[in-house]
Amino acid sequence: MKTILVTGGAGFIGSNFVYYMLRTHPNVRVVVLDALTYAGNLETLSPLLDNPRFRFVKGDITDRAAVENLFREEGFDAVVNFAAESHVDRSIDTPEIFLKTNILGTQVLLDACRKGGNIRFHQVSTDEVYGDLPLDRPDLFFTEETPIHTSSPYSASKAGADLLVQAYHRTYGANITISRCSNNYGPYHFPEKLIPLMITNAMEGKSLPVYGEGKNIRDWLYVKDHCSAIDLILQGGRIGEVYNIGGHNERSNLQVVKAILALLGKDESAITYVKDRPGHDLRYAIDPTKMRQELGWKPETTFETGLRQTVAWYQENRDWWEHVKSGAYLAYYKQHYGNT
Ligand code: NAD
Ligand code: DAU
């Protein structure tokens, strides 16, 4: 049995990864370390709380003593770091917590891996570290060689963490890999991000706030395809390497919003154009050739199928997102674990 630490496993992608790993690897045990910030939701993991191959630990990756204790107790075989402040808009309002969690938290984990005997470490990064591409050059894509060129405090903090991970590899021989993925969507996506916000607002009869003219382009990937890519990198990725993950599913924000409304059978009158995001990146587009050629990865889910499945998931799991929007999910940890 191998034990993997998944930090940030109560968030969107981390929780999907936990379910993916437990389903596809019967010889894997997963420990989640998550601070349960506003973005962490223990309800998402509630079906696993009695599973002998699963353990949940509430804790902060920046808390060095707690992290080192956990590493000593568990003797991890690998660490996958999803824990982060992840929302660009919040980073514009309150940058400091992004630097603390995303950079200093990553450093604490790298040190713990080093102390633990060079434990395998995978950093979940983002295509946002490459900045943006122009809207009128559809021939351009981000490759692993594209220079780092960040726009928001969020992307700058993720880039800082990536550089630190690479520095630990070069200086201390750390056993690391990094993945940079495009925009994910799917189940358990916190409804402050574009797709779940638009789905749930439309279901509630609220307005759909599109920034600027809605022309910005994102490259969407169904979350399960991101999970399978990270799994392959853990199994066969070359140490010290960066891997870009994406599925060539570029859509403008307006196209995405209109597709959601069509799936819900609603007209477009609820769309409202609001003030643009400061420093708003124009276009993201990943070239995933390295993932395909080196690791044989390819996405399974087209955008049309994935969006249909996602809309259906939010229709079938109304309790989950209503608890998030009402704030009731924040009480779940206390209900389950008391005041510990
Ligand atoms: P999320 O905001 O949904 O989840 C983040 C999780 O980290 C939450 O459970 C939160 O409680 C936890 N967390 C935050 N600070 C912590 C701390 N100090 N200690 C321990 N836990 C802490 O984020 P997500 O969308 O699932 O993204 C996960 C990772 O993937 C992030 O590193 C993000 O940068 C990266 N990423 C996200 C996307 C995307 O489209 N969402 C795309 C590429 C990469
Ligand atoms: O590319 C990967 C990144 O994707 C991740 O690293 C981030 O963690 C993740 O949050 C996401 O960042 P974006 O800024 O692209 O995602 P967001 O859902 O916030 O916005 C997507 C696009 O939709 C963006 O162009 C802004 C726009 N938008 C967003 C919201 C929340 C709107 O027009 N209206 C909105 O209300």
Side-chain angles (χ1 to χ4, degrees):
M1 189 70 74
K2 293 209 162 175
T3 302
I4 298 185
L5 174 65
V6 177
T7 66
F12 164 45
I13 309 174
S15 61
N16 277 280
F17 183 73
V18 170
Y19 280 109
Y20 181 90
M21 291 303 280
L22 290 173
R23 200 169 54 239
T24 55
H25 296 286
N27 60 337
V28 162
R29 182 174 160 265
V30 172
V31 176
V32 164
L33 175 65
D34 196 298
L36 295 183
T37 67
Y38 81 93
N41 185 349
L42 197 58
E43 273 188 51
T44 302
L45 299 172
S46 61
L48 297 176
L49 297 180
D50 296 323
N51 184 328
R53 290 197 291 129
F54 177 80
R55 177 183 174 198
F56 179 80
V57 178
K58 183 172 184 292
D60 193 317
I61 59 166
T62 66
D63 181 345
R64 191 173 285 275
V67 166
E68 287 181 0
N69 275 340
L70 184 64
F71 273 64
R72 269 195 299 273
E73 204 183 308
E74 289 285 354
F76 295 118
D77 295 288
V79 174
V80 184
N81 182 27
F82 290 92
E85 289 293 334
S86 71
H87 192 37
V88 173
D89 293 329
R90 287 181 189 252
S91 83
I92 294 166
D93 295 337
T94 53
E96 193 170 339
I97 184 68
F98 284 72
L99 306 196
K100 182 169 184 239
T101 291
N102 299 1
I103 302 178
L104 297 180
T106 300
Q107 189 214 351
V108 167
L109 295 171
L110 286 166
D111 284 342
C113 286
R114 203 170 151 229
K115 267 197 177 171
N118 208 1
I119 297 168
R120 177 81 173 83
F121 179 86
H122 180 73
Q123 174 71 356
V124 181
S125 185
T126 169
D127 61 358
E128 294 200 17
V129 301
Y130 299 123
D132 62 354
L133 297 164
L135 291 176
D136 60 355
R137 290 291 307 273
D139 55 315
L140 296 181
F141 297 91
F142 297 136
T143 73
E144 289 79 1
E145 275 70 50
T146 302
I148 301 281
H149 185 81
T150 57
S151 309
S152 69
Y154 163 70
S155 55
S157 69
K158 293 296 290 186
D162 283 15
L163 294 175
L164 200 60
V165 172
Q166 288 173 316
Y168 269 59
H169 173 63
R170 170 132 181 188
T171 306
Y172 306 116
N175 201 0
I176 60 93
T177 42
I178 297 173
S179 54
R180 295 181 179 147
C181 190
S182 60
N183 286 62
N184 284 215
Y185 67 102
Y188 305 118
H189 202 178
F190 197 89
E192 66 181 346
K193 307 280 172 69
L194 181 75
I195 288 185
L197 181 75
M198 296 299 161
I199 296 173
T200 56
N201 273 15
M203 286 173 71
E204 291 178 300
K206 293 184 178 164
S207 67
L208 312 187
V210 170
Y211 297 165
E213 295 175 56
K215 289 185 178 160
N216 302 60
I217 290 175
R218 295 293 181 266
D219 182 0
W220 294 97
L221 187 72
Y222 193 60
V223 62
K224 192 173 158 215
D225 286 321
H226 188 183
C227 296
S228 70
I230 294 174
D231 184 19
L232 284 177
I233 296 170
L234 279 178
Q235 291 180 53
R238 282 187 295 133
I239 297 307
E241 291 292 311
V242 172
Y243 291 90
N244 280 359
I245 306 171
H248 288 300
N249 282 308
E250 287 178 56
R251 299 285 186 286
S252 73
N253 293 338
L254 204 51
Q255 281 177 310
V256 170
V257 173
K258 287 183 176 178
I260 290 169
L261 288 170
L263 284 165
L264 288 169
K266 306 232 175 208
D267 66 45
E268 294 169 8
S269 58
I271 297 176
T272 51
Y273 294 92
V274 300
K275 192 167 162 287
D276 209 351
R277 171 185 280 173
H280 199 171
D281 280 337
L282 294 172
R283 170 177 169 249
Y284 302 147
I286 281 277
D287 175 353
T289 306
K290 184 171 173 181
M291 274 302 298
R292 192 182 60 241
Q293 285 183 348
E294 283 194 18
L295 297 170
W297 176 82
K298 62 175 174 22
E300 279 180 2
T301 310
T302 63
F303 187 66
E304 285 65 31
T305 305
L307 195 65
R308 196 176 335 107
Q309 286 172 2
T310 303
V311 168
W313 189 88
Y314 280 85
Q315 286 174 316
E316 285 156 18
N317 292 275
R318 208 173 168 119
D319 278 359
W320 183 87
W321 60 264
E322 281 185 345
H323 290 181
V324 174
K325 283 195 158 181
S326 73
Y329 75 111
L330 295 168
Y332 187 86
Y333 180 81
K334 211 165 161 196
Q335 277 161 27
H336 197 85
Y337 288 99
N339 284 321
T340 53

